[in-house]
Coordinates of all heavy atoms in Angstrom, one line a residue:
Y23 N 0.8 -1.2 0.0 CA 0.0 0.0 0.0 C 0.9 1.3 0.0 O 2.0 1.2 0.6 CB -0.9 0.0 1.3 CG -2.1 -0.9 1.2 CD1 -2.0 -2.2 1.5 CD2 -3.3 -0.5 0.7 CE1 -3.0 -3.1 1.4 CE2 -4.3 -1.3 0.6 CZ -4.3 -2.6 1.0 OH -5.3 -3.4 0.9
N24 N 0.3 2.3 -0.7 CA 1.0 3.6 -0.6 C -0.1 4.6 -0.2 O -1.0 4.8 -1.0 CB 1.5 3.9 -2.1 CG 2.3 5.2 -2.1 OD1 2.3 6.0 -1.2 ND2 3.1 5.4 -3.2
N25 N -0.1 5.0 1.0 CA -1.2 5.7 1.7 C -2.3 4.7 1.7 O -2.1 3.5 2.1 CB -1.6 7.0 0.9 CG -0.6 8.1 1.2 OD1 0.2 8.1 2.1 ND2 -0.6 9.1 0.4
A26 N -3.5 4.9 1.3 CA -4.5 3.9 1.2 C -4.7 3.2 -0.1 O -5.6 2.5 -0.4 CB -5.9 4.5 1.6
N27 N -3.8 3.5 -1.0 CA -3.8 2.9 -2.4 C -3.1 1.6 -2.5 O -1.9 1.5 -2.3 CB -3.2 3.9 -3.4 CG -3.9 5.3 -3.3 OD1 -5.1 5.4 -3.6 ND2 -3.1 6.4 -3.0
L28 N -3.8 0.5 -2.9 CA -3.2 -0.7 -3.1 C -2.4 -0.6 -4.4 O -2.9 -0.2 -5.4 CB -4.3 -1.8 -3.3 CG -3.8 -3.2 -3.6 CD1 -3.0 -3.7 -2.4 CD2 -5.0 -4.1 -3.9
V29 N -1.1 -0.9 -4.3 CA -0.2 -0.9 -5.5 C 0.1 -2.1 -6.1 O 0.6 -2.2 -7.2 CB 1.1 0.0 -5.2 CG1 0.8 1.4 -4.9 CG2 1.8 -0.7 -4.1
L30 N 0.0 -3.3 -5.3 CA 0.3 -4.6 -6.0 C -0.2 -5.7 -5.1 O -0.2 -5.5 -3.8 CB 1.8 -4.7 -6.0 CG 2.4 -6.0 -6.6 CD1 2.2 -6.1 -8.1 CD2 3.9 -6.1 -6.3
T31 N -0.7 -6.7 -5.6 CA -1.1 -7.9 -4.9 C -0.3 -9.1 -5.5 O -0.2 -9.2 -6.7 CB -2.6 -8.3 -5.2 OG1 -3.3 -7.2 -4.6 CG2 -3.0 -9.5 -4.5
M32 N 0.4 -9.8 -4.6 CA 1.2 -11.0 -5.0 C 0.4 -12.2 -4.5 O 0.0 -12.3 -3.4 CB 2.6 -10.9 -4.5 CG 3.3 -9.6 -5.0 SD 5.1 -9.6 -4.6 CE 5.6 -10.8 -5.9
T33 N 0.4 -13.2 -5.4 CA -0.2 -14.5 -5.0 C 0.7 -15.6 -5.1 O 1.8 -15.5 -5.7 CB -1.5 -14.8 -5.9 OG1 -1.0 -14.8 -7.2 CG2 -2.6 -13.8 -5.6
N34 N 0.5 -16.7 -4.6 CA 1.3 -17.9 -4.6 C 2.7 -17.7 -4.1 O 3.7 -18.2 -4.7 CB 1.3 -18.4 -6.1 CG 0.0 -18.8 -6.5 OD1 -0.9 -19.4 -5.8 ND2 -0.4 -18.5 -7.8
V35 N 2.9 -16.9 -3.1 CA 4.2 -16.8 -2.4 C 4.3 -18.0 -1.5 O 3.4 -18.3 -0.7 CB 4.2 -15.5 -1.5 CG1 5.5 -15.4 -0.8 CG2 4.0 -14.3 -2.5
M36 N 5.4 -18.7 -1.6 CA 5.7 -19.9 -0.8 C 5.7 -19.5 0.8 O 6.3 -18.5 1.1 CB 7.0 -20.5 -1.1 CG 7.1 -21.2 -2.4 SD 8.6 -22.1 -2.8 CE 8.5 -23.3 -1.6
S37 N 5.1 -20.3 1.5 CA 5.1 -20.2 3.0 C 6.5 -20.1 3.5 O 7.4 -21.0 3.1 CB 4.3 -21.3 3.7 OG 4.3 -21.1 5.1
G38 N 6.9 -19.1 4.2 CA 8.2 -18.9 4.7 C 9.1 -18.1 3.8 O 10.3 -17.8 4.1
G39 N 8.6 -17.8 2.6 CA 9.4 -17.1 1.6 C 9.2 -15.6 1.7 O 8.7 -15.2 2.7
G40 N 9.6 -14.9 0.7 CA 9.5 -13.5 0.6 C 8.9 -13.0 -0.7 O 8.7 -13.8 -1.6
A41 N 8.7 -11.7 -0.7 CA 8.2 -11.1 -2.0 C 9.0 -9.9 -2.3 O 9.6 -9.2 -1.4 CB 6.8 -10.6 -1.7
V42 N 9.2 -9.7 -3.6 CA 10.0 -8.6 -4.1 C 9.1 -7.7 -4.9 O 8.4 -8.2 -5.8 CB 11.2 -9.1 -4.9 CG1 12.0 -7.9 -5.5 CG2 12.1 -10.0 -4.1
Y43 N 9.1 -6.4 -4.7 CA 8.3 -5.5 -5.5 C 8.9 -5.3 -6.9 O 10.1 -4.9 -7.0 CB 8.2 -4.2 -4.7 CG 7.3 -3.2 -5.4 CD1 6.0 -3.3 -5.3 CD2 7.9 -2.0 -6.0 CE1 5.2 -2.3 -5.9 CE2 7.0 -1.0 -6.5 CZ 5.7 -1.2 -6.5 OH 4.8 -0.3 -7.1
P44 N 8.2 -5.7 -7.9 CA 8.8 -5.8 -9.3 C 8.7 -4.6 -10.1 O 9.2 -4.5 -11.2 CB 8.0 -6.9 -10.0 CG 6.6 -6.8 -9.3 CD 6.9 -6.4 -7.9
L45 N 8.2 -3.5 -9.5 CA 8.0 -2.3 -10.3 C 9.0 -1.2 -9.9 O 9.9 -1.5 -9.1 CB 6.5 -1.7 -10.1 CG 5.4 -2.8 -10.3 CD1 4.0 -2.2 -10.0 CD2 5.4 -3.2 -11.8
E46 N 8.9 0.0 -10.5 CA 9.9 1.0 -10.2 C 9.6 1.5 -8.7 O 8.6 1.2 -8.1 CB 9.7 2.2 -11.0 CG 8.4 3.0 -11.0 CD 8.3 4.0 -12.0 OE1 8.4 3.8 -13.2 OE2 8.0 5.2 -11.6
T47 N 10.6 2.1 -8.2 CA 10.6 2.6 -6.7 C 9.3 3.3 -6.5 O 9.1 4.3 -7.2 CB 11.8 3.4 -6.4 OG1 13.0 2.7 -6.7 CG2 11.8 3.8 -5.0
P48 N 8.6 3.0 -5.4 CA 7.4 3.8 -5.1 C 7.6 5.2 -4.8 O 8.7 5.5 -4.3 CB 6.8 3.0 -3.9 CG 7.5 1.7 -3.8 CD 8.9 1.9 -4.5
R49 N 6.7 6.0 -5.1 CA 6.7 7.5 -4.8 C 5.5 7.8 -3.9 O 4.4 7.2 -4.2 CB 6.8 8.3 -6.0 CG 8.0 8.1 -6.9 CD 7.9 9.0 -8.1 NE 8.0 10.4 -7.7 CZ 8.9 11.3 -7.9 NH1 9.9 10.9 -8.6 NH2 8.8 12.6 -7.6
L50 N 5.7 8.6 -3.0 CA 4.6 9.0 -2.1 C 3.5 9.7 -2.9 O 3.7 10.5 -3.7 CB 5.0 9.9 -1.0 CG 4.1 10.2 0.2 CD1 3.6 9.0 0.8 CD2 4.7 11.2 1.1
M51 N 2.2 9.2 -2.7 CA 1.1 9.7 -3.4 C 0.4 10.8 -2.5 O 0.5 10.8 -1.3 CB 0.1 8.6 -3.7 CG 0.7 7.6 -4.7 SD -0.5 6.3 -5.0 CE 0.4 5.2 -6.0
D52 N -0.5 11.5 -3.1 CA -1.3 12.5 -2.4 C -0.6 13.5 -1.6 O -1.0 14.0 -0.6 CB -2.3 11.7 -1.5 CG -3.2 10.7 -2.3 OD1 -3.4 11.0 -3.4 OD2 -3.5 9.7 -1.7
V53 N 0.6 14.0 -2.1 CA 1.3 15.1 -1.5 C 1.6 16.1 -2.6 O 1.7 15.8 -3.8 CB 2.6 14.7 -0.8 CG1 2.3 13.8 0.4 CG2 3.6 14.0 -1.7
T54 N 1.8 17.3 -2.2 CA 2.1 18.4 -3.2 C 3.4 18.2 -3.9 O 3.5 18.4 -5.2 CB 2.2 19.8 -2.5 OG1 0.9 19.9 -1.8 CG2 2.3 20.9 -3.5
N55 N 4.5 17.7 -3.3 CA 5.8 17.6 -3.9 C 6.4 16.2 -3.6 O 7.1 16.1 -2.6 CB 6.7 18.7 -3.5 CG 8.0 18.7 -4.3 OD1 8.2 17.9 -5.1 ND2 8.8 19.7 -4.0
P56 N 6.0 15.2 -4.3 CA 6.5 13.9 -4.0 C 8.0 13.7 -4.0 O 8.5 12.8 -3.3 CB 5.8 12.9 -5.0 CG 5.0 13.7 -5.9 CD 5.2 15.2 -5.5
S57 N 8.7 14.6 -4.7 CA 10.2 14.4 -4.7 C 10.8 14.8 -3.4 O 12.0 14.6 -3.2 CB 10.7 15.4 -5.8 OG 10.5 16.7 -5.5
Q58 N 10.1 15.3 -2.5 CA 10.6 15.6 -1.1 C 10.6 14.5 -0.2 O 11.0 14.5 0.9 CB 9.8 16.8 -0.5 CG 10.1 18.2 -1.0 CD 9.3 19.2 -0.3 OE1 8.1 19.1 0.0 NE2 9.9 20.3 -0.1
Y59 N 10.1 13.3 -0.7 CA 9.9 12.1 0.1 C 10.7 11.0 -0.5 O 10.6 10.7 -1.7 CB 8.5 11.8 0.3 CG 7.7 12.9 1.0 CD1 7.1 13.9 0.4 CD2 7.6 12.8 2.4 CE1 6.4 14.9 1.0 CE2 6.9 13.8 3.1 CZ 6.4 14.8 2.4 OH 5.7 15.8 3.1
E60 N 11.5 10.3 0.2 CA 12.3 9.2 -0.2 C 11.7 7.9 0.3 O 11.5 7.8 1.5 CB 13.7 9.4 0.3 CG 14.7 8.3 0.0 CD 16.1 8.5 0.6 OE1 16.1 9.0 1.8 OE2 17.1 8.2 -0.1
F61 N 11.6 6.9 -0.5 CA 11.2 5.6 -0.2 C 12.2 4.9 0.6 O 13.4 5.0 0.2 CB 10.8 4.8 -1.4 CG 10.5 3.3 -1.2 CD1 9.3 3.0 -0.6 CD2 11.4 2.4 -1.6 CE1 9.0 1.7 -0.3 CE2 11.2 1.0 -1.3 CZ 9.9 0.6 -0.7
I62 N 11.9 4.4 1.8 CA 12.9 3.7 2.7 C 12.6 2.3 2.9 O 13.4 1.6 3.5 CB 13.1 4.5 4.0 CG1 11.8 4.6 4.8 CG2 13.7 5.9 3.7 CD1 11.9 5.1 6.2
G63 N 11.5 1.8 2.4 CA 11.3 0.3 2.5 C 9.8 0.0 2.8 O 9.0 0.9 2.7
W64 N 9.6 -1.2 3.1 CA 8.2 -1.8 3.4 C 8.1 -2.1 4.8 O 9.0 -2.5 5.5 CB 8.0 -3.0 2.6 CG 8.0 -2.7 1.1 CD1 9.1 -2.9 0.3 CD2 7.0 -2.2 0.4 NE1 8.8 -2.5 -1.0 CE2 7.5 -2.1 -1.0 CE3 5.7 -1.7 0.6 CZ2 6.8 -1.5 -2.1 CZ3 4.9 -1.2 -0.5 CH2 5.5 -1.2 -1.8
H65 N 6.9 -1.9 5.4 CA 6.7 -2.3 6.8 C 5.3 -2.9 6.9 O 4.3 -2.4 6.5 CB 6.5 -0.9 7.6 CG 6.3 -1.3 9.0 ND1 7.3 -1.8 9.9 CD2 5.2 -1.2 9.8 CE1 6.8 -2.0 11.1 NE2 5.5 -1.6 11.1
P66 N 5.3 -4.1 7.4 CA 6.5 -4.9 7.7 C 7.2 -5.4 6.5 O 6.6 -5.4 5.4 CB 5.9 -6.0 8.6 CG 4.5 -6.3 8.0 CD 4.1 -4.9 7.6
K67 N 8.4 -5.8 6.6 CA 9.2 -6.3 5.5 C 8.6 -7.6 5.0 O 8.2 -8.5 5.7 CB 10.7 -6.6 5.9 CG 11.4 -5.3 6.3 CD 12.8 -5.6 6.7 CE 13.4 -4.3 7.0 NZ 14.9 -4.2 7.0
P68 N 8.5 -7.7 3.7 CA 7.9 -8.9 3.1 C 8.8 -10.1 3.1 O 9.2 -10.7 2.0 CB 7.4 -8.5 1.7 CG 8.5 -7.4 1.4 CD 8.8 -6.7 2.6
V69 N 9.1 -10.6 4.3 CA 10.0 -11.8 4.4 C 9.4 -12.8 5.3 O 8.5 -12.4 6.2 CB 11.4 -11.4 4.8 CG1 12.2 -10.5 3.8 CG2 11.4 -10.7 6.2
R70 N 9.7 -14.0 5.3 CA 9.2 -15.1 6.2 C 7.7 -15.0 6.2 O 7.2 -15.0 7.2 CB 9.9 -15.0 7.5 CG 11.4 -15.4 7.5 CD 11.9 -15.4 8.9 NE 11.9 -14.1 9.6 CZ 12.9 -13.2 9.5 NH1 13.8 -13.3 8.6 NH2 12.8 -12.1 10.2
I71 N 7.2 -15.0 5.0 CA 5.6 -14.9 4.9 C 5.0 -16.2 5.3 O 5.3 -17.2 4.7 CB 5.3 -14.4 3.6 CG1 5.8 -13.0 3.2 CG2 3.7 -14.4 3.3 CD1 5.7 -12.6 1.9
G72 N 4.1 -16.1 6.2 CA 3.4 -17.3 6.7 C 1.9 -17.2 6.5 O 1.1 -18.2 6.8
H73 N 1.4 -16.0 6.1 CA 0.0 -15.8 5.9 C -0.3 -14.5 5.2 O 0.8 -13.9 4.8 CB -0.6 -15.6 7.5 CG 0.1 -14.6 8.3 ND1 -0.2 -13.2 8.0 CD2 1.0 -14.6 9.2 CE1 0.6 -12.5 8.9 NE2 1.3 -13.4 9.5
D74 N -1.5 -14.3 4.9 CA -1.8 -13.0 4.2 C -1.3 -11.8 4.9 O -1.4 -11.8 6.2 CB -3.3 -12.9 3.9 CG -3.9 -13.8 2.9 OD1 -3.1 -14.5 2.2 OD2 -5.1 -13.9 2.8
M75 N -0.7 -10.9 4.3 CA -0.2 -9.8 5.0 C -0.3 -8.5 4.1 O -0.3 -8.6 2.9 CB 1.3 -9.9 5.5 CG 2.3 -10.1 4.4 SD 4.0 -10.6 5.0 CE 4.4 -9.2 6.0
K76 N -0.3 -7.4 4.8 CA -0.4 -6.1 4.2 C 1.0 -5.4 4.5 O 1.4 -5.3 5.7 CB -1.5 -5.2 4.7 CG -1.6 -3.8 4.3 CD -2.6 -3.1 5.0 CE -2.5 -1.6 4.8 NZ -3.5 -0.8 5.6
C77 N 1.7 -4.9 3.5 CA 3.0 -4.2 3.7 C 2.7 -2.7 3.2 O 2.3 -2.5 2.1 CB 4.1 -4.8 2.9 SG 4.4 -6.5 3.4
D78 N 3.1 -1.8 4.0 CA 2.9 -0.3 3.7 C 4.3 0.2 3.2 O 5.3 -0.1 3.8 CB 2.4 0.5 4.8 CG 1.0 0.1 5.2 OD1 0.2 0.2 4.3 OD2 0.7 -0.3 6.4
A79 N 4.3 1.0 2.2 CA 5.4 1.7 1.7 C 5.7 2.8 2.7 O 4.8 3.5 3.2 CB 5.2 2.3 0.3
T80 N 7.0 2.9 3.2 CA 7.3 3.9 4.1 C 8.3 4.9 3.5 O 9.1 4.6 2.6 CB 8.0 3.3 5.4 OG1 9.1 2.5 5.0 CG2 7.0 2.5 6.2
F81 N 8.2 6.2 3.9 CA 9.0 7.3 3.3 C 9.5 8.2 4.4 O 9.0 8.2 5.5 CB 8.0 8.1 2.4 CG 7.4 7.4 1.3 CD1 6.2 6.6 1.4 CD2 8.0 7.3 0.0 CE1 5.7 5.9 0.4 CE2 7.5 6.6 -1.0 CZ 6.3 6.0 -0.9
R82 N 10.5 8.9 4.1 CA 11.0 10.0 5.0 C 11.1 11.2 4.2 O 11.4 11.2 3.0 CB 12.3 9.6 5.6 CG 13.5 9.6 4.6 CD 14.8 9.4 5.4 NE 15.8 9.3 4.3 CZ 17.0 8.9 4.5 NH1 17.5 8.7 5.8 NH2 18.0 8.9 3.6
C83 N 10.8 12.3 4.9 CA 10.9 13.7 4.3 C 12.4 14.0 4.1 O 13.2 13.9 4.9 CB 10.3 14.7 5.2 SG 10.2 16.3 4.4
V84 N 12.7 14.4 2.9 CA 14.1 14.9 2.5 C 14.0 16.4 2.4 O 13.3 16.9 1.5 CB 14.6 14.3 1.2 CG1 15.9 14.7 0.9 CG2 14.5 12.7 1.3
E85 N 14.7 17.1 3.3 CA 14.6 18.6 3.3 C 15.4 19.1 2.1 O 16.5 18.7 1.7 CB 15.3 19.1 4.6 CG 14.7 18.7 5.8 CD 13.4 19.4 6.1 OE1 13.2 20.5 5.6 OE2 12.5 18.8 6.7
E86 N 14.7 20.0 1.4 CA 15.4 20.7 0.2 C 16.3 21.9 0.8 O 15.8 22.7 1.6 CB 14.3 21.1 -0.7 CG 13.7 20.1 -1.6 CD 12.8 20.7 -2.7 OE1 12.4 21.9 -2.6 OE2 12.5 19.9 -3.6
V87 N 17.5 21.9 0.3 CA 18.4 23.0 0.6 C 18.2 24.1 -0.4 O 18.3 23.9 -1.5 CB 19.8 22.6 0.7 CG1 20.7 23.7 1.1 CG2 20.0 21.3 1.7
L88 N 17.8 25.3 0.1 CA 17.6 26.4 -0.8 C 18.8 27.3 -0.9 O 19.6 27.4 0.0 CB 16.4 27.2 -0.3 CG 15.1 26.4 -0.3 CD1 14.0 27.3 0.2 CD2 14.8 26.0 -1.7

């Protein structure tokens, strides 16, 4: 998920396995200037999957130097 937007559903992931996001690096949605936010990973990390799970894209604000 990116905010409340579902960006990808993966099926048939082996129990105990992991998932890799196959698209370009996520960008924060629903903000005025998405370039001010850097993608830092997924929470929780999509590893050791044993059941259906929801992973949220996480971002940090990158201060622009003027």
Side-chain angles (χ1 to χ4, degrees):
Y23 283 85
N24 187 341
N25 288 340
N27 302 301
L28 178 64
V29 292
L30 182 69
T31 298
M32 299 189 79
T33 58
N34 299 321
V35 176
M36 290 185 65
S37 180
V42 176
Y43 186 69
L45 306 174
E46 64 185 55
T47 302
R49 294 181 63 115
L50 187 59
M51 298 177 180
D52 303 328
V53 294
T54 304
N55 189 354
S57 64
Q58 288 183 315
Y59 297 88
E60 175 182 41
F61 173 72
I62 58 172
W64 297 99
H65 182 75
K67 293 183 182 199
V69 297
R70 294 186 294 279
I71 297 171
H73 53 79
D74 289 350
M75 65 187 298
K76 172 186 168 185
C77 298
D78 292 302
T80 55
F81 300 87
R82 71 175 173 185
C83 182
V84 180
E85 298 290 329
E86 286 188 341
V87 178
L88 300 175

